[in-house]
Amino acid sequence: MEINKIVLRRMKLDLLSPFQTSFGVQTDREFMIVELHGESNIGYGECVASAKPLYSEETVGTVELMLKDILIPALLNEKAIKHPDELSEIFKPFRRNNMAKSALEGAYWDLYAKENNVPLHVALGGTKSETEVGVSIGIQDSTEELLKVVEGFLEEGYKRIKLKIKPGNDMVILKAVREKFPDIKMMADANSAYTLEDVELFKEMSEFNLMMIEQPLAHDDIIDHSKLQPEIQTPICLDESIHSLEDAKKAIGLGSCKIINIKIGRVGGLSEAKRIHDYCQSQDIPVWCGGMLESGIGRAHNIAISSLPNFTLPGDTAASSRYWHEDIITPEVVVEQGVISLPTAPGIGYDPNMELMEKYTTSIEEIIPQKMTS
Ligand code: OSB
Ligand code: MG
């Protein structure tokens, strides 16, 4: 595929309400959009790294550097790419920096699907026409407030409720939500805030009949999780600890989890996300698509990967209106009765709203590839 221009946009959107996790409070989202301009289409990718390295080690700044110095030159240096799966091989010698790799690879996948005139989910081998979604709810100021927020999302039809917990803000809120809503699908996400010393707490949590507990222990651990899982009834789902197919194989092999949250950015792109999906399917490990408070562009990529058959549990890709005053795509992502319909247009299937893209762009850089003359 011909690439005539690459555009890197730094962007910033204000969140409708603050999002609090065990690692901090977020009131806005800084991120990067990568545009790959081809012969007659533009491919879009979103980088999910945040302003600060709190969830992972990458930031919007490190990603910009990686893209400009390493990944874009490596891509432009490759002459005969036939399929987007090859990008992960081209990037493989460069360690980690998965969110940077994923942003460029995602834009390439979108461009590839558009130039072949198929929806991205079809290009990825997706089999669904719709995907079920839940909602991830941040830590609230009070339990009363939390109950109100949960009720609102249930009324909107979300298929499961995920509650962020942290030490000192766990059993009480889980109990309150479970008592008020005895039958809902419910889970907790600790974002790495606990240690093996908390095993009794996790044993007690089984009374709340949680679908799963997400990433209870350290962000870089699979050993302690393998010790915790046999001690507790609640299935463990790993998020932060899984960066690759190899990580997934080791975690499953050790018995560190029974479910995996796949985030495209965390694993370095759509091709690796698909490989993890395929392996988990072969091992009877269900997966679901996590979220990183994406704008509509990242959201569209999440929706596309969620169309693969082993994404059997509701994901975190909620409606645009759950996060933003206005999203940067047309149409916005809508959730009806807890379900998103897969778009039918080529590529990611949502058009960037260029007026809003410009409005929320804080800086922009264009890279024009050197044309080879020989
Ligand atoms: O742990 O899944 C997480 C948001 C930012 C960073 C990490 C996580 C999250 C979420 C929100 O849970 C998911 C979303 O609604 O996009
Ligand atoms: Mg998580």
Side-chain angles (χ1 to χ4, degrees):
M1 285 193 313
E2 209 172 288
I3 295 170
N4 298 320
K5 183 168 81 172
I6 299 172
V7 180
L8 302 180
R9 283 175 192 275
R10 276 200 189 215
M11 309 200 45
K12 185 172 161 183
L13 286 171
D14 288 331
L15 281 162
L16 278 172
S17 55
F19 191 77
Q20 187 178 351
T21 63
S22 63
F23 58 78
V25 189
Q26 240 178 298
T27 55
D28 57 31
R29 187 76 173 97
E30 285 177 54
F31 58 99
M32 179 165 285
I33 294 293
V34 178
E35 299 178 9
L36 280 185
H37 293 239
E39 226 160 323
S40 45
N41 289 289
I42 305 175
Y44 293 89
E46 175 163 342
C47 185
V48 298
S50 307
K52 291 184 184 152
L54 297 172
Y55 167 84
S56 78
E57 68 279 18
E58 292 180 89
T59 71
V60 189
T62 70
V63 158
E64 187 176 347
L65 187 75
M66 250 315 129
L67 285 166
K68 286 198 310 209
D69 283 3
I70 307 291
L71 300 175
I72 290 173
L75 176 65
L76 295 177
N77 194 37
E78 234 22 78
K79 296 292 160 292
I81 300 171
K82 291 193 181 63
H83 191 274
D85 279 340
E86 292 166 39
L87 266 66
S88 52
E89 292 305 314
I90 297 167
F91 297 156
K92 206 172 197 163
F94 311 120
R95 295 196 173 150
R96 300 283 188 135
N97 293 285
N98 283 354
M99 293 174 176
K101 290 174 179 174
S102 172
L104 188 54
E105 193 239 37
Y108 197 92
W109 264 106
D110 182 29
L111 182 60
Y112 172 83
K114 283 170 176 161
E115 306 235 310
N116 286 283
N117 206 26
V118 291
L120 177 58
H121 59 95
V122 172
L124 288 166
T127 53
K128 302 187 207 167
S129 58
E130 55 180 43
T131 180
E132 289 196 346
V133 289
V135 62
S136 172
I137 302 177
I139 295 165
Q140 306 294 312
D141 290 338
S142 69
T143 306
E144 295 67 53
E145 188 58 38
L146 175 63
L147 291 171
K148 246 186 278 168
V149 173
V150 170
E151 186 161 39
F153 285 125
L154 289 172
E155 276 165 12
E156 282 184 53
Y158 284 100
K159 298 279 187 188
R160 68 100 172 97
I161 296 293
K162 165 166 137 182
L163 302 175
K164 292 289 190 180
I165 57 168
K166 66 175 182 181
N169 202 306
D170 39 37
M171 298 304 275
V172 172
I173 61 162
L174 293 173
K175 186 171 174 2
V177 175
R178 183 45 97 204
E179 273 176 5
K180 181 144 186 211
F181 306 103
D183 302 321
I184 61 167
K185 283 189 188 160
M186 172 179 161
M187 58 175 288
D189 185 358
N191 286 111
S192 311
Y194 297 85
T195 70
L196 270 184
E197 290 182 10
D198 300 305
V199 60
E200 288 307 318
L201 181 96
F202 292 114
K203 282 184 185 169
E204 284 167 34
M205 252 179 224
S206 65
E207 71 173 287
F208 304 131
N209 190 23
L210 302 178
M211 292 174 82
M212 69 194 91
I213 169 85
E214 186 176 343
Q215 197 73 33
L217 310 180
H219 71 94
D220 54 357
D221 170 79
I222 53 171
I223 306 295
D224 284 357
H225 283 98
S226 77
K227 295 178 183 156
L228 179 61
Q229 181 66 92
E231 297 288 321
I232 64 175
Q233 273 166 27
T234 312
I236 292 177
C237 169
L238 288 177
D239 173 356
E240 281 89 331
S241 298
I242 305 296
H243 301 97
S244 62
L245 172 61
E246 278 308 309
D247 285 350
K249 283 183 177 172
K250 287 169 190 156
I252 293 167
L254 283 171
S256 314
C257 65
K258 294 180 178 167
I259 299 170
I260 289 182
N261 164 340
I262 294 182
K263 287 182 182 168
I264 304 163
R266 196 190 64 234
V267 304
L270 286 161
S271 298
E272 192 73 358
K274 192 170 148 56
R275 290 180 199 116
I276 295 172
H277 162 276
D278 294 351
Y279 180 74
C280 287
Q281 188 169 31
S282 76
Q283 301 297 306
D284 283 326
I285 297 285
V287 304
W288 54 279
C289 184
M292 290 292 292
L293 310 177
E294 288 92 346
S295 83
I297 290 174
R299 209 156 286 283
H301 285 263
N302 289 346
I303 293 165
I305 195 76
S306 300
S307 70
L308 301 185
N310 194 40
F311 281 83
T312 52
L313 300 167
D316 269 350
T317 305
S320 299
S321 62
R322 180 256 180 281
Y323 308 86
W324 318 117
H325 301 277
E326 47 188 6
D327 202 344
I328 56 175
I329 51 163
T330 315
E332 294 200 341
V333 173
V334 286
V335 174
E336 273 166 354
Q337 257 104 59
V339 166
I340 297 175
S341 299
L342 270 299
T344 51
I348 57 173
Y350 296 83
D351 284 328
N353 179 328
M354 286 323 290
E355 200 181 309
L356 296 181
M357 289 273 282
E358 294 298 339
K359 178 174 169 186
Y360 295 111
T361 295
T362 55
S363 68
I364 188 164
E365 198 157 351
E366 295 193 350
I367 296 160
I368 312 282
Q370 297 302 121
K371 285 270 184 275
M372 290 293 152
T373 45
S374 59

